[in-house]
């Protein structure tokens, strides 16, 4: 089975009910999708090619941290006094300001 294309990946990620932010460079050659739940980067595409792995087992419904991508791990990595990998990756974040060029 072939890996999903960048476009298929974007469609899958966009099904999330949690909200997300998509950024694109001025030349439209690179883009990134950041989920507001956990501030997790779930897609990074360069010249139409996906650069990140997000597990097919990832829950995109807010029931647990997103499995894969680039997570926001704070204030600790691994097990410790707090939840594994800290609390930041299981909180909902908001976009405070949006600017255009």
């Amino acid at each position: 089975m072939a890996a999903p294309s960048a476009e298929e990946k974007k469609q899958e990620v966009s099904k999330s009910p949690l909200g997300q932010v998509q950024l694109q460079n001025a030349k439209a050659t690179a883009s990134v999708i950041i989920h507001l739940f956990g501030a997790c980067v779930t897609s990074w595409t360069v010249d139409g090619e996906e650069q990140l792995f997000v597990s097919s087992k990832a829950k995109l419904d807010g029931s647990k941290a997103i499995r894969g991508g680039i997570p926001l791990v704070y204030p600790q990595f691994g097990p410790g006094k707090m939840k594994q990998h800290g609390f930041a990756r299981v909180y909902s974040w908001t976009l405070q300001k949006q600017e255009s060029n």
Side-chain angles (χ1 to χ4, degrees), residues 22-92:
Q22 182 169 0
L23 307 172
Q24 187 172 21
N25 69 348
K27 293 182 180 181
T29 56
S31 66
V32 63
I33 295 175
I34 306 165
H35 270 77
L36 296 179
F37 179 74
C40 184
V41 178
T42 54
S43 177
W44 172 36
T45 307
V46 178
D47 294 327
E49 187 175 330
E50 182 59 54
Q51 305 295 308
L52 297 179
F53 170 81
V54 174
S55 174
S56 61
K57 296 178 182 179
K59 302 289 184 193
L60 300 176
D61 61 3
S63 62
K64 60 192 308 185
I66 296 172
R67 186 176 184 172
I70 303 172
L72 177 59
V73 178
Y74 179 82
Q76 69 184 32
F77 190 83
K81 293 181 181 179
M82 306 178 121
K83 268 188 133 169
Q84 179 148 331
H85 306 319
F87 60 84
R89 69 190 200 125
V90 293
Y91 274 77
S92 291

